[in-house]
Amino acid sequence: MNYPEDTSHMTKWIFKSKNEVDEICLKKYNDFKEKFKDHNVSIPKYAEIEKTKLYFCYQLTHFCEIKRLKSQIVECAIVLYNRFYLKEIILEYDPRILIFTCIILAIKLEGYGRLYKMNDFFNDIDINLDKVLEHENVVCSSLDFEINFLYTKECIFYLKSKFLNYINKYINKDNEIQNSFENICNQIYVNTVQDCLKIIESFTITFTYTPAQIALYCFVNNIKINFNIVNADKFILEFITNNNQILFQKLKNKIDELHVRYKDHLDLRNTFDDENTTRQIGETLDMCIDIYEILKKKKSSKKSKKKKLSSEDCERGEAAKRVDMK
């Protein structure tokens, strides 16, 4: 097995283009509309569904910031959330519940479960914790229990070590300046971690760029912002691609693509606290809630029928036993 090329993250969860991801989501939306065509209920437009999905991923990140969760937990939760909604649709599964389910799962998967008491952790928000926990199995089953991920943080740590090598080789400094450069490098590292969390909120970016590509883009972007005496291209060419011009150009193209995509994502993200946007999200969610109620009734009806059939089977079985005894 070649790592990371042959991991499930790369083979099953990275797609060639944004269009592929959009087609999957659009098909699920159209299939759902077809299934619900006989119900007297309003179904939100596809664009509204996608915006609401992204909005709640933003809320997931925001909640994690408030709780000061470690970056690897946040990244895990975001990836779980996005993967789940690649397989499912918010018309069937309430994102207000799923964001917390994904956070709890991420805490457990990253090995921090013993540090948190769930009742205390969620004591400042109005949420049905039982429902949140019930959805753990729903998420894992939907993902076929493929819950091992590649993380951007591992890549960022590698980039930081390479960047320190670049500084040591090309930038003259005395001890006092050296400490200053190391402080800048540490700041670049911290900022890159935060930027990576923002960028993977973007649903399509999560599935069309590898964690390494995302980490490299964010790291180089922060070099340009915080350390402009550095030749970023030279750093990539020599220390990342080992002077492979073809690979260097491919990475440059990815960085340029990501810059445009990230800017678009930030522009949309920056509207999420606007009154108009929150009102639109609320209207979309109201329509979803009506659908959830219908689905709940259908599920309850199925359970009742199963229970009735099971009861009838038992009665027939008992009757047969009595006949045999006679």
Side-chain angles (χ1 to χ4, degrees):
M1 175 179 171
N2 294 322
Y3 183 87
E5 293 86 351
D6 294 336
T7 60
S8 63
H9 190 125
M10 299 294 286
T11 58
K12 295 184 179 181
W13 297 99
I14 299 294
F15 297 85
K16 290 180 180 179
S17 69
K18 177 180 179 294
N19 287 341
E20 281 189 55
V21 179
D22 288 338
E23 284 172 9
I24 292 170
C25 296
L26 186 57
K27 184 179 184 305
K28 287 193 174 296
Y29 175 77
N30 288 331
D31 288 347
F32 185 89
K33 278 186 71 176
E34 179 65 23
K35 186 171 69 175
F36 254 65
K37 66 182 180 182
D38 296 329
H39 290 83
N40 185 24
V41 64
S42 298
I43 296 178
K45 294 177 181 177
Y46 177 70
E48 294 167 349
I49 290 295
E50 293 303 293
K51 189 174 182 178
T52 302
K53 182 166 64 180
L54 180 58
Y55 173 82
F56 277 97
C57 192
Y58 163 74
Q59 292 297 335
L60 182 158
T61 309
H62 183 58
F63 179 80
C64 290
E65 286 175 359
I66 293 171
K67 293 296 183 178
R68 297 183 178 179
L69 293 178
K70 292 180 178 294
S71 60
Q72 63 263 36
I73 295 175
V74 185
E75 184 167 358
C76 182
I78 293 170
V79 174
L80 284 168
Y81 176 89
N82 281 335
R83 284 191 180 186
F84 180 77
Y85 281 118
L86 182 67
K87 293 275 192 173
E88 310 297 343
I89 190 168
I90 69 167
L91 292 171
E92 291 191 66
Y93 293 97
D94 191 341
R96 298 171 303 172
I97 294 172
L98 262 296
I99 59 173
F100 298 114
T101 301
C102 291
I103 290 170
I104 290 174
L105 272 174
I107 288 171
K108 293 176 180 178
L109 288 171
E110 291 304 307
Y112 292 96
R114 293 182 180 180
L115 299 182
Y116 299 97
K117 292 181 179 178
M118 290 303 130
N119 287 323
D120 294 339
F121 187 72
F122 291 110
N123 66 357
D124 54 347
I125 58 172
D126 182 19
I127 190 168
N128 185 331
L129 190 54
D130 289 336
K131 267 192 176 181
V132 171
L133 294 172
E134 282 171 11
H135 280 75
E136 283 185 312
N137 190 53
V138 174
V139 173
C140 292
S141 298
S142 180
L143 302 186
D144 297 324
F145 288 86
E146 289 177 357
I147 47 181
N148 291 318
F149 314 129
L150 300 176
Y151 291 100
T152 57
K153 193 168 184 181
E154 297 165 356
C155 307
I156 300 167
F157 186 80
Y158 171 80
L159 290 168
K160 181 184 175 183
S161 67
K162 289 292 184 180
F163 189 54
L164 286 171
N165 291 342
Y166 172 93
I167 291 173
N168 290 331
K169 182 174 181 179
Y170 287 112
I171 301 178
N172 293 323
K173 54 200 179 301
D174 55 35
N175 289 334
E176 185 178 343
I177 297 177
Q178 180 177 357
N179 290 334
S180 175
F181 285 159
E182 287 180 358
N183 289 337
I184 293 172
C185 192
N186 289 334
Q187 189 59 50
I188 288 171
Y189 177 85
V190 171
N191 291 349
T192 300
V193 169
Q194 296 304 314
D195 287 348
C196 283
L197 295 180
K198 288 179 186 175
I199 202 170
I200 63 171
E201 288 173 2
S202 168
F203 191 78
T204 52
I205 288 177
T206 301
F207 298 114
T208 50
Y209 295 90
T210 68
Q213 290 167 347
I214 292 169
L216 180 62
Y217 161 70
C218 292
F219 195 87
V220 169
N221 196 43
N222 274 288
I223 288 174
K224 292 175 180 177
I225 294 169
N226 297 288
F227 210 170
N228 55 18
I229 64 171
V230 170
N231 185 328
D233 285 354
K234 188 173 184 178
F235 165 65
I236 297 170
L237 177 62
E238 183 175 343
F239 289 84
I240 305 302
T241 70
N242 198 24
N243 292 310
N244 183 326
Q245 287 284 352
I246 296 174
L247 180 56
F248 168 74
Q249 194 55 54
K250 285 182 179 179
L251 288 178
K252 279 281 291 177
N253 292 342
K254 288 293 182 183
I255 287 171
D256 292 342
E257 287 173 20
L258 266 169
H259 187 69
V260 175
R261 299 276 293 277
Y262 185 39
K263 185 180 180 302
D264 290 342
H265 171 63
L266 285 181
D267 288 344
L268 178 58
R269 192 181 194 269
N270 289 336
T271 69
F272 283 159
D273 292 324
D274 293 350
E275 187 177 336
N276 285 339
T277 301
T278 52
R279 178 179 52 78
Q280 290 169 5
I281 298 296
E283 290 170 357
T284 302
L285 199 57
D286 285 342
M287 286 187 273
C288 289
I289 289 169
D290 291 339
I291 294 169
Y292 300 151
E293 287 300 316
I294 294 172
L295 290 170
K296 186 178 177 182
K297 288 176 182 176
K298 288 175 74 174
K299 190 175 180 181
S300 178
S301 176
K302 282 183 180 179
K303 282 184 178 179
S304 296
K305 286 179 181 177
K306 280 185 180 179
K307 193 173 181 181
K308 186 178 179 182
L309 287 170
S310 178
S311 177
E312 288 174 353
D313 287 343
C314 287
E315 287 175 4
R316 281 195 292 269
E318 289 298 322
K321 285 180 184 178
R322 286 194 293 271
V323 170
D324 289 342
M325 288 176 68
K326 290 177 181 178

